[in-house]
Amino acid sequence: MKSYTLIAPAKINLHLEIVGIRPDNYHELVMIMQTVDLADRVEIRSLSTDNIIIHCGHPNVPLDETNLAYRAAELMQREFPNAFLEYGGVEITLHKHIPISAGLAGGSGNAAAVLVGIDLLWELGLTQSDLQGLGAKLGSDVPFCISGGTAIATGRGEVISPLPSLEGIYVVLGKYQSLEVSTPWAYTTYRQEFGHEYAHDLDSLVERSHRVHSGDLVKAIVAKNTVKIGKLLYNDLEKVVLPAYPLVSQLRTEFQHHSNLGTMMSGSGPTVFSLANSREQADAIYHQVRATITDPDLELFVTQFCDRGVRVIDN
Ligand code: C5P
């Protein structure tokens, strides 16, 4: 039976702006997303039965249809019934390295890898845009996880416009293992507190989106000006997550204290990150934060920006 091994990288948000509410009750977003080298490994193989079987050694990762990777396989079975009949079910093994429920799109990346893996297993010949269209049915971050790199994401987050590569910039990530923030909670709370600031007509929505497309952060990315990128990091969800989670707020302050390039929370958190210009700078931040916060529950990672999303490493 054929099998593939894929790398599914984590993402961070360099910019996350909530501009309005949509008829489907999701939020209209303008984000700048960035993949990093910290990644899960996803193995996928065909089965002689028609089951979907998920294996994962992480105690908090569900193995049933509540796992987005499972739902990605189900979606492919529904969308391509003839290929499913011909090739059968799939067995998926998730090797988790990305912290879960962290604001790093670990689950979305796993689902993206399953779509790419099944396309290969079933020899469907789907384009990246086909795969991103399928990904959007699973979750707002899945389309970006497929293409990766540096990109503007608008709409629910599923409309992707690539930006020039920032490969090589270092980043230190920090997350308390036992701390999780619910993404729906973060968006609902934001809406309750800041909904009055939302853009309500199409012109204002378009204007807010254009502001980012032609804004200073995009200019800094094009110029690969790390100092400016660091200064312009932005995340609306910090406004609700930091006051509700003092540990995240303290961690952010600690990161900021040791980094001279910029610190931010990623997505709906609770992961906090600082940028660094070199491995040495990143290692210094890592060690200084570790020396100050000795709590073994705090996980720290040094990683690098990378310029692609899901990729196959073996078959
Ligand atoms: O799309 P996804 O399932 O990843 O989104 C998780 C949750 O985040 C949604 O249920 C919704 O509460 C919130 N969300 C939102 N607007 C978006 C993306 C996510 O309100 N554009």
Side-chain angles (χ1 to χ4, degrees):
M1 284 281 176
K2 251 191 172 171
S3 72
Y4 288 92
T5 302
L6 302 105
I7 292 294
K11 67 86 189 154
I12 56 171
N13 299 86
L14 304 180
H15 182 94
L16 192 164
E17 188 181 341
I18 301 174
V19 298
I21 193 80
R22 299 157 49 97
D24 60 8
N25 245 353
Y26 275 76
H27 286 84
E28 191 72 33
L29 305 176
V30 187
M31 302 189 285
I32 298 182
M33 319 270 268
Q34 174 64 55
T35 38
V36 297
D37 273 340
L38 176 68
D40 291 338
R41 198 157 52 81
V42 178
E43 287 167 21
I44 182 158
R45 70 186 72 248
S46 289
L47 285 174
S48 50
T49 63
D50 60 5
N51 298 340
I52 298 168
I53 299 175
I54 308 246
H55 303 283
C56 182
H58 194 299
N60 296 351
V61 173
L63 306 177
D64 58 12
E65 67 284 350
T66 57
N67 188 317
L68 207 54
Y70 188 105
R71 293 217 292 277
E74 260 184 346
L75 175 69
M76 293 302 268
Q77 291 185 345
R78 269 200 314 277
E79 296 276 338
F80 304 100
N82 294 337
F84 174 40
L85 273 178
E86 186 179 340
Y87 291 93
V90 286
E91 185 175 27
I92 297 159
T93 308
L94 305 173
H95 300 272
K96 294 298 291 179
H97 301 286
I98 306 171
I100 64 164
S101 299
L104 297 173
S108 301
N110 293 172
V114 169
L115 297 180
V116 173
I118 292 183
D119 171 48
L120 294 168
L121 276 180
W122 294 358
E123 301 177 288
L124 297 169
L126 298 177
T127 63
Q128 187 171 82
S129 146
D130 295 334
L131 289 163
Q132 287 179 317
L134 291 164
K137 297 183 182 190
L138 295 166
S140 310
D141 285 341
V142 180
F144 170 75
C145 290
I146 290 169
S147 48
T150 311
I152 301 180
T154 53
R156 272 165 55 217
E158 86 287 16
V159 183
I160 309 298
S161 317
L163 288 168
S165 166
L166 289 176
E167 204 180 7
I169 295 176
Y170 281 85
V171 58
V172 188
L173 306 172
K175 180 191 179 272
Y176 285 100
Q177 277 176 71
S178 59
L179 193 61
E180 293 181 5
V181 174
S182 150
T183 304
W185 169 84
Y187 278 100
T188 308
T189 309
Y190 189 89
R191 187 178 175 180
Q192 282 159 2
E193 292 184 24
F194 299 97
H196 59 279
E197 294 173 7
Y198 286 175
H200 288 295
D201 56 289
L202 190 62
D203 283 352
S204 323
L205 285 174
V206 170
E207 195 272 321
R208 296 274 290 270
S209 162
H210 280 176
R211 217 188 294 166
V212 175
H213 278 79
S214 56
D216 289 343
L217 180 54
V218 168
K219 285 183 194 145
I221 288 169
V222 172
K224 208 172 172 181
N225 183 332
T226 330
V227 172
K228 276 201 179 148
I229 294 170
K231 281 203 178 103
L232 294 166
L233 297 173
Y234 184 82
N235 185 348
D236 266 335
L237 290 174
E238 284 200 337
K239 294 182 211 162
V240 291
V241 177
L242 298 184
Y245 291 88
L247 265 184
V248 183
S249 183
Q250 284 157 22
L251 182 61
R252 191 193 189 288
T253 305
E254 202 51 48
F255 264 71
Q256 200 161 23
H257 185 62
H258 299 294
S259 160
N260 53 9
L261 263 195
T263 297
M264 190 56 49
M265 185 183 80
S266 182
S268 55
T271 300
V272 160
F273 68 88
S274 281
L275 304 185
N277 261 328
S278 64
R279 175 91 213 184
E280 292 68 34
Q281 247 182 36
D283 284 344
I285 297 170
Y286 175 102
H287 289 298
Q288 284 157 352
V289 173
R290 179 55 80 215
T292 325
I293 305 177
T294 50
D295 185 346
D297 195 40
L298 176 65
E299 275 188 303
L300 293 170
F301 305 87
V302 171
T303 184
Q304 240 180 318
F305 286 13
C306 77
D307 65 359
R308 49 198 174 149
V310 168
R311 64 183 193 275
V312 179
I313 52 166
D314 196 13
N315 65 308

